[in-house]
Amino acid sequence: MNQLMACEKQRPLQQFRKILLAGLLIASIPAHAQEKSGWIDLEKQDSAALFGEKCGMCHKAGGMGTTILSRRLQGEQALLENRLDLKAEYITAVVRGGFGVMYPISRGEVSDEQLVKIQQHLVKE
Amino acid sequence: MQLVLPPNHNESSFEAALRAFAGVVGERWVFTSDQDRDTYVDHYGFDVNAHVASAAVAPASAEEVQAIVKLANEHKLPLWPISRGKNFGYGSAAPVVSGSVVLDMSRMKKIWMDVDNGTVLVEPGVGFYDLFDYVEQNNIPYWISPIGNSWGSVAGNALDRGVGYTPYGDHSDRVCGLEVVLPDGDLVRTGMGAMSNSEAWTLHPYGFGPHWDQMFMQSNFGIVTKLGMWLMPKPETVVSLDMELDKKEDLGWAIDTLAPMRRSGLIQQSPSIGNWLRAAAVLTKRTDWYNGEGAIPEDVISAIRQRFNLGWWSINLRIYGPEEITNATANVVQNTFAARTQYPMRRGLWREGMPREQQPFAGIPITFPLANAGWHGGRGAHVGFSPALPQSGDKALAQFQRTFDRYNEFGMDYHGSFALGERHITNVNQVLYDRDNKAMVAQVDQFFRALLSDASVQRYGEYRAHIEYMDLIAQSYDFNNGALWRLNDRLKTALDPNGIVAPGKSGIWGSTPRRGGAV
């Protein structure tokens, strides 16, 4: 079983695309493009998962951002997901412009569309 | 950040090149605003204007990378490839040559895994957290080898010869097979990948004929679009052994005690000996302790050590495997230390089912150590200075003393560690500073050059370099009038006559005029 264990977990659309692609591949393709099957794209789609993927490394529990924010914010407020006061414009300003030790995040790393989804996850009102 | 045009371009020729790139990736993946450029500067650089991208282009696949490289040749436009661009302390995402277009491969996040054999192929955008989440969520019985600040790319770190803390911590040594876009846009696969559809691409590193994987590390001979890597089978147990060393001078005998056990293979990971600032700078700010000028004095150091219960140095090592073996090995290590010192050694045991230590030792990615960037307040940063030394206690101690004296001379707080390879020591020094403190920024460059010059006198070379110092460090590798440098330049000229891929990386320029006209 040399294939990916996670194949079963793929969404139906991805599976459909894969079958479609497999069909296309057989048609005619240069030798170098022959691919192993079982490639998985680790880019997340829904807003909570995107927050985890793009921001979680620093802003989940134990992360660098949480560590630094906890020096000046009380208790649980150092975790962005617990904050009630975050506004979309503020998130954009910090993500694209940086703030203190946090550096600005490129649109290659977090696209504008992904940033909107992350805002939806963080803005509570 | 205002536009800095690529060398030999005017606005219209530059725009024509960007339009061509947009034809490959779509307009939304070509980034040209001032704000976009700000996101690709060296965030930890003390002079961000010295290395500025003109734009960035973000492909989604190796085929798009090939197309962009071919167009870059037509338009004579240098590219600066990044995986995730988190090479903090060594230049972040910023190019050596200002005006280069960043080729941002963050979007390329596909992974393929051979679960039976514990190998992965990763695209450049796959970060340590991505790989960790994937392995854990799918209950795959392997551990990744994360780095101290794990937000970076698995492939990018291995290609820059980054290191981790498990027995698989020498990452470039665990690479098995690459896919590379050459500077003319051709696509090659190394090792067994050179045989179409071989199942052994990630299993047997060499294939037939010359082995090229190392050629694409710390180089600019191609753009790696897929990287094969081995993962460590999940161990049954991990024994932790930690020791606090009270005096600076303890560094020497500690290294001489560890080194034979490292050489013999008794200790399979790279034990690290780091100083008191590692914990203090993560958990507190400098002003919590000291407001005076210059480096923190010894009495304040003592107060910090007391608060965190730290030695001047701490040793952390880990032993992996079945319990019979880890216990026996730990006994040998403890007895070996007991013959040399009265300092106690703390011993811990992890077994399957217990919570894992939240550290890279246990395959857990972390970022909190970089909270040390906030040590001085302001927009904190660090630059890394990392020479490789022979494995000798006396030499390590002398190197420490020279470095420590320089830190004091420049009024900086010493932040260093000594990690033991199988036959060498890597001495990583982090120079923590505040980018908003002009006086401090002004002397970081002089400080760095002094460290480099001191090391070079001893014939110690850096294992990795910040973009600003790549030429200087390449120059220090000077045997036979820089024969290695000349070889690199000849290869670069042959493979990349138009100077498209990362000119200046690791001091390799080929046909591109050297930055600043040096040498």
Side-chain angles (χ1 to χ4, degrees), chain A residues 4 34 53 57 71 109, chain B residues 86 109 134 197 282 367:
Chain A
L4 282 162
Q34 290 170 7
E53 177 194 344
M57 59 192 73
R71 291 181 195 155
E109 184 173 354
Chain B
K86 306 296 180 204
K109 292 192 74 157
Y134 176 77
N197 299 316
V282 168
T367 56

Side-chain angles (χ1 to χ4, degrees), chain B residues 90-110:
Chain B
Y90 297 107
S92 311
V96 170
V97 176
S98 282
S100 302
V101 170
V102 169
L103 182 76
D104 180 351
M105 293 182 279
S106 305
R107 293 174 64 208
M108 295 169 58
K109 292 192 74 157
K110 293 196 196 68

Side-chain angles (χ1 to χ4, degrees), chain A residues 104-110, chain B residues 1 29 31-43 48 51-58 80 82 84-85 91-95 102-106 467:
Chain A
I105 306 291
S106 74
R107 292 196 287 156
E109 184 173 354
V110 178
Chain B
M1 188 65 67
W29 299 114
F31 310 128
T32 58
S33 73
D34 288 353
Q35 190 176 57
D36 286 324
R37 282 186 281 274
D38 285 344
T39 62
Y40 292 100
V41 301
D42 177 7
H43 303 302
V48 293
H51 303 276
V52 181
S54 56
V57 54
W80 184 261
I82 62 166
R84 283 178 41 77
S92 311
V102 169
L103 182 76
D104 180 351
M105 293 182 279
S106 305
I467 49 173

Side-chain angles (χ1 to χ4, degrees), chain A residues 51-85:
Chain A
F51 175 81
E53 177 194 344
K54 304 291 186 180
C55 319
M57 59 192 73
C58 290
H59 287 292
K60 292 262 190 184
M64 173 201 187
T66 304
T67 305
I68 290 175
L69 285 172
S70 63
R71 291 181 195 155
R72 61 185 173 85
L73 295 174
Q74 295 305 307
E76 296 292 293
Q77 290 303 294
L79 286 165
L80 297 188
E81 285 177 297
N82 290 340
R83 294 270 289 273
L84 300 174
D85 58 338

Side-chain angles (χ1 to χ4, degrees), chain B residues 369-483:
Chain B
L370 259 196
N372 69 10
W375 176 239
H376 288 282
R379 289 178 306 150
H382 72 255
V383 62
F385 175 72
S386 317
L389 321 177
Q391 211 164 54
S392 142
D394 284 346
K395 287 174 181 163
L397 194 54
Q399 174 67 10
F400 157 70
Q401 196 60 55
R402 268 189 299 273
T403 309
F404 185 63
D405 290 346
R406 286 290 193 194
Y407 270 86
N408 284 330
E409 177 190 337
F410 283 86
M412 311 295 280
D413 300 325
Y414 179 75
H415 191 313
S417 66
F418 292 78
L420 277 78
E422 287 179 75
R423 293 292 190 283
H424 82 288
I425 301 168
T426 303
N427 171 215
V428 177
N429 300 278
Q430 280 193 23
V431 182
L432 299 177
Y433 68 101
D434 171 10
R435 286 169 56 196
D436 293 324
N437 180 334
K438 281 188 182 153
M440 192 182 284
V441 169
Q443 64 172 6
V444 171
D445 179 59
Q446 291 308 310
F447 177 43
F448 191 95
R449 286 171 193 273
L451 290 177
L452 190 63
S453 164
D454 291 347
S456 187
V457 168
Q458 304 301 320
R459 305 283 65 201
Y460 301 155
E462 274 215 282
Y463 92 100
R464 187 175 185 184
H466 185 276
I467 49 173
E468 178 64 23
Y469 303 108
M470 284 175 170
D471 284 330
L472 208 56
I473 285 150
Q475 273 175 294
S476 72
Y477 287 79
D478 59 358
F479 170 75
N480 189 16
N481 192 27

Side-chain angles (χ1 to χ4, degrees), chain B residues 98-132:
Chain B
S98 282
S100 302
V101 170
V102 169
L103 182 76
D104 180 351
M105 293 182 279
S106 305
R107 293 174 64 208
M108 295 169 58
K109 292 192 74 157
K110 293 196 196 68
I111 181 176
W112 178 92
M113 182 157 192
D114 176 344
V115 173
D116 291 344
N117 290 297
T119 68
V120 286
L121 277 165
V122 288
E123 289 191 325
V126 174
F128 287 94
Y129 279 86
D130 298 316
L131 183 58
F132 174 79

